Amino acid sequence: MIMTETKNRLIEEIQEWKKKRNAILLAHNYQLPEIQDIADVLGDSLSLARATLDTSADVIVFCGVHFMAETSAMLNPEKTVLLPDLEAGCSLADSITAEQLRAWKAEHPDAVVVAYVNTTAEVKAESDYCCTSSNAVDIVRSIPEDKEILFLPDMFLGSFVKNQTGRENIHIWMGECHVHAGIAPYQVEEVLTKHPEADLLVHPECGCSTSSMYLKSEGVLPQDKTHILSTGNMLTHSKNSSAEEFIVATEVGIIHQMEKQNPTKRFIAANPEAVCPFMKMITLEKVLAALKENKHVITVPKEIAERAKLSIDRMVSIG
Ligand code: 13P
Ligand code: SF4
């Protein structure tokens, strides 16, 4: 934890450098509280990607992980996109390579490929559609029903989409995010027993999402209190719901924002250890260094960006 004085000085310097460079600071909902508090735009993967299209800034400082900055760089080739720490990766994006995807496509030559945004630019270049947790269902619904689909790389999000759309012709890659997969059904049940009146908010990447969906459909979990949502939609729900308590089944960083927006409500983590080490790599010191030293500039080879662009454009325009 940094001292308040040091923190305030860092924030002041960041604001000065932002002005100097005509920069905007985007932050994902899982970022450290002090990063969330200075963000110009805070949001889920889809809203952040869309925000990069609406800004007149020359420099985008992406406080998130590598694939997010890479996606912004492909959407905005004329802007400078900075990721304050190059090590901020994603275990889910690492669960499939372009080579593995090419081999999978060769087994299903007529299939349409839907890739979650948590993938590398090379994987996106091999895909037809890109999606995020907030529009995955809409994107799959937009694809003609007789078309076979390869959905990758998250198996829990894949099963959620399959269940919501009722499609049988979806093949799902068996990848997972180690943070979300670690939120287990028994943990949710334990917390629910202690807080039976709470709304349950589950991210579709979670290890408990499939069982939550099943238990909801069986009436074991209350239909009107169980919600499978992207991080952005979790924030909207917690604002609009009349519930006093919420069980949060996703990365715990989002609770900072939930508490800030709803000071009288209570938010309980389904698994308090669900912390993404990659998201927490971005600090105030690194944001300042990124602005001062123009690092780390994220670029994507033109040939890959051109091939990935159609799938990314579909992602930002659907849902
Ligand atoms: P969303 O914020 O789009 O729901 O995604 C969650 C996530 O895990 C990002 O890596
Ligand atoms: Fe990747 Fe999981 Fe971290 Fe999101 S929470 S960035 S999916 S490792």
Side-chain angles (χ1 to χ4, degrees):
M1 191 69 87
I2 51 175
M3 304 284 290
T4 318
E5 212 179 301
T6 318
K7 188 169 146 185
N8 289 345
R9 193 176 32 77
L10 278 167
I11 294 172
E12 241 171 65
E13 268 198 82
I14 290 172
Q15 302 302 359
E16 280 164 23
W17 275 92
K18 258 176 53 191
K19 261 196 217 129
K20 247 188 240 177
R21 300 212 50 197
N22 187 25
I24 185 171
L25 220 142
L26 305 189
H28 187 267
N29 293 320
Y30 298 159
Q31 287 288 291
L32 289 169
E34 57 267 35
I35 300 291
Q36 294 190 26
D37 292 347
I38 59 159
D40 295 303
V41 185
L42 177 75
D44 64 13
S45 313
L46 187 60
S47 64
L48 293 178
R50 284 180 175 153
T52 66
L53 297 172
D54 291 338
T55 176
S56 56
D58 297 316
V59 177
I60 296 169
V61 183
F62 216 113
C63 301
V65 293
H66 192 271
F67 74 81
M68 295 180 176
E70 209 177 46
T71 306
S72 298
M74 289 189 277
L75 279 169
N76 301 279
E78 75 297 348
K79 295 190 194 297
T80 300
V81 178
L82 303 176
L83 180 65
D85 189 330
L86 267 187
E87 298 296 311
C90 170
S91 60
L92 180 54
D94 287 343
S95 68
I96 187 166
T97 63
E99 203 180 329
Q100 286 172 315
L101 175 53
R102 280 192 287 273
W104 201 26
K105 280 165 67 173
E107 291 168 22
H108 303 273
D110 297 324
V112 172
V113 177
V114 181
Y116 192 31
V117 67
N118 299 42
T119 43
T120 61
E122 288 82 358
V123 166
K124 289 186 177 80
E126 294 290 336
S127 305
D128 300 297
Y129 291 80
C130 189
C131 70
T132 75
S133 56
S134 63
N135 66 1
V137 171
D138 290 333
I139 286 195
V140 167
R141 284 203 177 114
S142 77
I143 299 168
E145 271 181 28
D146 59 330
K147 277 278 176 198
E148 205 180 2
I149 293 178
L150 301 183
F151 190 95
L152 62 103
D154 190 78
M155 60 175 155
F156 299 111
L157 178 65
S159 339
F160 173 68
V161 169
K162 190 169 177 171
N163 174 288
Q164 293 295 296
T165 58
R167 281 176 86 130
E168 282 307 318
N169 55 355
I170 304 188
H171 306 277
I172 301 167
W173 189 258
M174 291 290 116
E176 62 177 30
C177 147
H178 73 293
V179 181
H180 285 93
I183 304 175
Y186 81 88
Q187 290 166 323
V188 173
E189 280 164 36
E190 268 176 25
V191 186
L192 257 175
T193 319
K194 289 186 198 142
H195 304 272
E197 295 305 315
D199 272 11
L200 171 62
L201 311 181
V202 181
H203 194 275
E205 277 177 34
C206 287
C208 61
S209 65
T210 317
S211 69
S212 298
M213 236 168 13
Y214 172 73
L215 295 174
K216 179 179 171 172
S217 67
E218 291 293 298
V220 178
L221 290 179
Q223 297 273 351
D224 55 335
K225 284 183 158 293
T226 307
H227 305 275
I228 301 182
L229 300 166
S230 72
T231 60
N233 289 333
M234 282 186 182
L235 284 166
T236 309
H237 178 89
S238 47
K239 246 195 223 164
N240 297 341
S241 167
S242 57
E244 293 296 317
E245 286 190 322
F246 299 82
I247 297 165
V248 183
T250 193
E251 209 271 359
V252 296
I254 195 171
I255 293 180
H256 170 68
Q257 206 49 226
M258 288 171 161
E259 288 175 340
K260 205 170 151 182
Q261 293 180 4
N262 309 279
T264 61
K265 298 180 179 176
R266 281 194 67 212
F267 298 92
I268 305 123
N271 176 356
E273 279 164 28
V275 178
C276 175
F278 303 112
M279 286 283 182
K280 308 306 186 219
M281 284 178 177
I282 311 297
T283 59
L284 290 174
E285 287 87 346
K286 288 180 196 172
V287 170
L288 180 58
L291 281 162
K292 272 175 145 172
E293 297 162 37
N294 199 40
K295 66 182 190 186
H296 303 272
V297 180
I298 303 299
T299 53
V300 176
K302 200 163 172 259
E303 181 265 332
I304 292 174
E306 275 172 8
R307 285 173 48 226
K309 188 74 174 37
L310 177 63
S311 68
I312 301 172
D313 284 345
R314 284 170 163 165
M315 174 186 89
V316 288
S317 62
I318 301 176

